[in-house]
Amino acid sequence: MTATEAAIREFLVTEVFYDRDLTDLGVEDSLLERGLLDSLAILKTVTFCEEHFGIAIPDGEVLPDHFESVQAIAALVERQRGSA
Amino acid sequence: MTLLPDLVSRAAGRHAQRDAVVMGSRRLSYAALEQASNRLARSLIAHGVRRGDRVALWLPKSPEAVVALYGVMKAGAAYVPVDPGAPPARMAWIARNCEVAGLVTCADRIARVDEAFAGRPPMRALWVTDDAADAPRVAGLPTVTWPALAAESAERPAVPAVDADLAYVLYTSGSTGDPKGVMLSHRNALAFVEWAGDTFGVTSEDRLANHAPFHFDLSTFDLFAAARAGAALYPVPPRLFAFPAAVAKSWCEQRLTVWYATPSTLVLFLTRGGLASLDLSALRVLLFAGEVFPVKYLRELMRLAPHARFANLYGPTETNVCTWYDVKGIPADDAPLPIGVPCCNDEALVLDESLKPVPGGGAGELWVRGATVMQGYWGDPGRTALALQSIEVAPGISDRAYRTGDIVRRRADGDLEFLGRRDHQVKTRGYRVELGEIETTLHRHPAVDEAVVVAIPDEEITNRLKAVVVTRPGAAVSEADLRQHCAATLPRYMVPEAIEFRAALPRTSSGKVDRRALQELSS
């Protein structure tokens, strides 16, 4: 797990899923299949990534494929870092 | 006399090959929906589900979920849709409270169902909407998988029923700490669906969006107005649900003609969904309900779709829609939209504390009588008696009316204006939340001494929830601990976004917690 993935995973577990016992959440596991994300959870995650990693995520990038898993969100963060 | 599932049976006769449900790449015709729900009804009956029973649905939105709710009603039972995002403990509480005879779920939830009921499930059997041949089983419970339904006849079973029978039970937040089940009959639902279908001219050519989850009463318009007209229903696939840009784009690309959603949803389409750059030419009717629509966003929406008809629908779950306002334009002074005039064969009464009419445009509490008013709260005659009371409407006319808790006034032009609540019920993202239910939940944590939840007004989602907590001396508990505690029994939207710890709560001179002071400190 990369440092970016670890930070995103930690945020999701404590601040989005409210379940620190969610120890089995792997970086490739589908977040969307779990049915736990709503639009507010996505907005919180976007805000967290923007503040924590000092990047901007345009609304047009906030799409299911980019939030499929911890790994997908980390890839989005890295792409936005590259384009900054 | 019509029952809700008759709408599908009739559509299957007139529009057999038309789309009933379109979801992503999946399509279900009216003929297919009719046959699949008939087979499920027969299976339910074969496993002992009887007229008057309840059957819970706990599964993500899918064509099978639509089949399930019609199948349950065709068996003469009422469907009990549980928030698919609700924790298993809440699902189990509702299933026990409503004494369900069956549960429809999907394979990847079976283990959670088994755990939630701890070996003592209240239902007679479980139905699983996918091919779950190798899925785990719930101990001691027959499990019927979807492919096994093929063995049942596709003829609709004959079940005696009248439209006064229960069609569904919707659980909503309860101020004392437990959810309450609002009982609605077929007639209740049809009074709304017939009015809405006629008023907005829904035909078999329409394509209706379905954004609201099935446990939210906005979905009754989508489901049943579509079936009544033989129109197509487009439920939002769960994968897209949290992404306003993806949902708005798919609705425009699929050229959906009728949208019904909460203002929170529509505001997110505008602010985060790129609606301004999409083709809205197919949009014919846009309905919204559940909370106050911020006027500046509504104006923007009407500018983007000048050809569409807009309407503000009002009503708590207990009455479904009981008043409406036909939006012809935005008031020049940017005043909030009225909730309008009664509809659906309902009457709106503005009463004072002694249940007498408030004269001449004064503020009073809104009571509603008529065709959409609920049958009561499941298994709770006490709360039912408080909510439904006999009111003298006119000399010689007394009728059962529902006390909404909403403070309104009637303007000179006859339109009702919503002014606020008389209690601690708030809206967040269109969901109705009793702050007391969250407070009771926080109090159940051993480290919590006092807890108050306040609603902080928010332009995009109406309110954000914040808890202010005083812990017991010596108790160590973190914000994350308390949120985890809440999320174990409450739906996600009821978990406070922020939790603040204080040494003491502000008090009024009479010693009560000063909610207003807390609200001001937080805003």
Side-chain angles (χ1 to χ4, degrees):
Chain A
M1 198 179 332
T2 67
T4 303
E5 287 169 350
I8 293 167
R9 186 187 178 285
E10 171 67 16
F11 171 79
L12 289 173
V13 165
T14 54
E15 299 293 323
V16 173
F17 297 138
Y18 304 129
D19 185 3
R20 286 164 300 167
D21 302 333
L22 206 64
T23 48
D24 63 338
L25 180 67
V27 295
E28 292 179 30
D29 286 358
S30 173
L31 302 170
L32 305 181
E33 303 290 314
R34 285 179 180 247
L36 285 173
L37 294 179
D38 61 12
S39 53
L40 207 70
I42 297 293
L43 292 181
K44 275 171 73 172
T45 307
V46 168
T47 305
F48 166 78
C49 289
E50 290 184 333
E51 289 173 358
H52 189 84
F53 300 110
I55 55 166
I57 300 177
D59 291 336
E61 297 291 323
V62 183
L63 296 170
D65 286 352
H66 299 168
F67 288 79
E68 182 66 58
S69 61
V70 170
Q71 199 174 57
I73 302 173
L76 173 67
V77 167
E78 298 303 343
R79 277 200 305 282
Q80 297 309 118
R81 266 183 178 153
S83 67
Chain B
M1 197 268 301
T2 300
L3 304 175
L4 291 169
D6 297 344
L7 302 175
V8 165
S9 300
R10 288 174 197 164
R14 292 193 312 258
H15 305 290
Q17 295 314 315
R18 274 189 174 271
D19 288 331
V21 183
V22 180
M23 203 169 151
S25 59
R26 298 193 54 201
R27 285 171 187 271
L28 205 59
S29 68
Y30 272 101
L33 173 58
E34 171 71 358
Q35 292 181 8
S37 55
N38 290 346
R39 290 193 163 103
L40 175 61
R42 287 180 177 274
S43 174
L44 289 162
I45 293 165
H47 284 85
V49 173
R50 297 283 171 258
R51 177 184 181 191
D53 281 347
R54 279 82 43 220
V55 174
L57 314 181
W58 190 52
L59 70 168
K61 211 174 260 187
S62 62
E64 288 73 25
V66 180
V67 168
L69 62 91
Y70 283 114
V72 169
M73 291 189 288
K74 285 177 174 180
Y79 73 92
V80 186
V82 180
D83 181 353
R90 193 175 182 89
M91 178 278 295
W93 189 94
I94 289 171
R96 287 194 198 287
N97 180 259
C98 213
E99 302 161 76
V100 299
L103 173 68
V104 184
T105 189
C106 50
D108 63 5
R109 291 178 180 233
I110 295 175
R112 279 176 282 167
V113 169
D114 192 20
E115 196 183 330
F117 290 113
R120 293 186 302 110
M123 54 274 183
R124 298 196 189 97
L126 193 69
W127 283 262
V128 180
T129 59
D130 25 24
D131 184 1
D134 54 352
R137 293 287 189 264
V138 174
L141 206 59
T143 297
V144 182
T145 64
W146 230 241
L149 297 178
E152 301 286 347
S153 157
E155 291 292 310
R156 183 168 167 185
V159 177
V162 296
D163 64 9
D165 294 345
L166 286 192
Y168 50 92
V169 181
L170 303 181
Y171 275 77
T172 183
S173 180
S175 59
T176 57
D178 290 321
K180 48 190 183 188
V182 180
M183 301 189 286
L184 287 314
S185 68
H186 294 264
R187 179 97 302 270
N188 287 150
L190 283 162
F192 164 57
V193 168
E194 288 167 358
W195 170 81
D198 290 346
T199 302
F200 303 111
V202 180
T203 74
S204 60
E205 301 293 319
D206 276 309
R207 292 174 294 279
L208 278 70
N210 167 236
H211 190 274
F214 294 148
H215 64 281
F216 196 177
D217 74 347
L218 269 71
S219 66
T220 61
F221 169 80
D222 312 339
L223 285 161
F224 306 128
R228 178 171 179 261
L233 182 76
Y234 284 69
V236 174
R239 202 181 144 70
L240 303 192
F241 188 73
F243 300 91
V247 175
K249 184 162 171 273
S250 75
W251 285 8
C252 291
E253 286 177 355
Q254 291 170 314
R255 302 196 59 73
L256 304 194
T257 56
V258 183
W259 301 9
Y260 183 25
T262 61
S264 291
T265 300
L266 298 167
V267 168
L268 284 178
F269 281 8
L270 282 170
T271 58
R272 322 265 179 168
L275 201 60
S277 62
L278 295 173
D279 173 11
L280 287 165
S281 59
L283 176 60
R284 190 175 72 71
V285 175
L286 196 152
L287 308 174
F288 52 91
E291 59 204 333
V292 177
F293 206 138
V295 166
K296 76 168 193 187
Y297 291 122
L298 179 59
R299 175 181 291 118
E300 175 69 7
L301 202 52
M302 293 181 77
R303 194 182 63 74
L304 293 176
H307 52 281
R309 181 167 183 190
F310 286 71
N312 181 21
L313 309 187
Y314 162 86
T317 305
E318 286 86 342
T319 66
N320 205 327
V321 171
C322 57
T323 77
W324 78 300
Y325 181 73
D326 200 2
V327 185
K328 301 292 189 194
I330 306 275
D333 57 358
D334 269 8
L337 288 184
I339 57 174
V341 293
C343 56
C344 310
N345 196 20
D346 283 330
E347 179 172 359
L349 308 164
V350 184
L351 305 180
D352 65 16
E353 288 290 314
S354 57
L355 307 187
K356 295 283 177 268
V358 174
E365 185 170 356
L366 177 61
W367 292 68
V368 179
R369 71 179 277 245
T372 64
V373 175
M374 69 160 176
Q375 308 303 302
Y377 297 116
W378 177 265
D380 197 339
R383 281 201 280 197
T384 300
L386 289 175
L388 295 176
Q389 295 181 27
S390 180
I391 299 287
E392 187 178 59
V393 181
I397 305 177
S398 285
D399 194 13
R400 205 184 55 133
Y402 171 70
R403 178 177 206 173
T404 65
D406 283 344
I407 306 299
V408 302
R409 75 175 197 99
R410 199 188 309 269
R411 302 194 316 202
D413 62 7
D415 280 326
L416 293 162
E417 273 180 3
F418 172 76
L419 302 175
R421 289 288 302 172
R422 68 168 173 83
D423 56 14
H424 301 303
Q425 185 189 105
V426 302
K427 291 294 179 86
T428 176
R429 280 172 279 168
Y431 287 103
R432 155 177 163 182
V433 171
E434 295 286 354
L435 297 179
E437 183 172 1
I438 308 172
E439 289 165 359
T440 304
T441 302
L442 284 165
H443 274 288
R444 285 178 186 149
H445 192 284
V448 172
D449 196 16
E450 289 188 283
V452 172
V453 179
V454 292
I456 307 186
D458 180 275
E459 200 169 58
E460 283 186 334
I461 62 164
T462 305
N463 283 298
R464 291 176 187 273
L465 304 177
K466 177 185 166 180
V468 182
V469 169
V470 178
T471 55
R472 288 190 197 285
V477 67
S478 69
E479 193 175 342
D481 291 333
L482 287 184
R483 277 210 294 261
Q484 183 161 350
H485 166 77
C486 288
T489 54
L490 295 176
R492 202 135 297 268
Y493 58 84
M494 287 178 70
V495 178
E497 267 188 76
I499 299 179
E500 183 188 322
F501 293 96
R502 295 177 75 97
L505 296 178
R507 302 272 168 189
T508 63
S509 55
S510 63
K512 283 184 170 170
V513 172
D514 190 345
R515 286 176 173 273
R516 187 166 296 172
L518 279 175
Q519 181 90 43
E520 282 164 10
L521 284 170
S522 304
S523 297

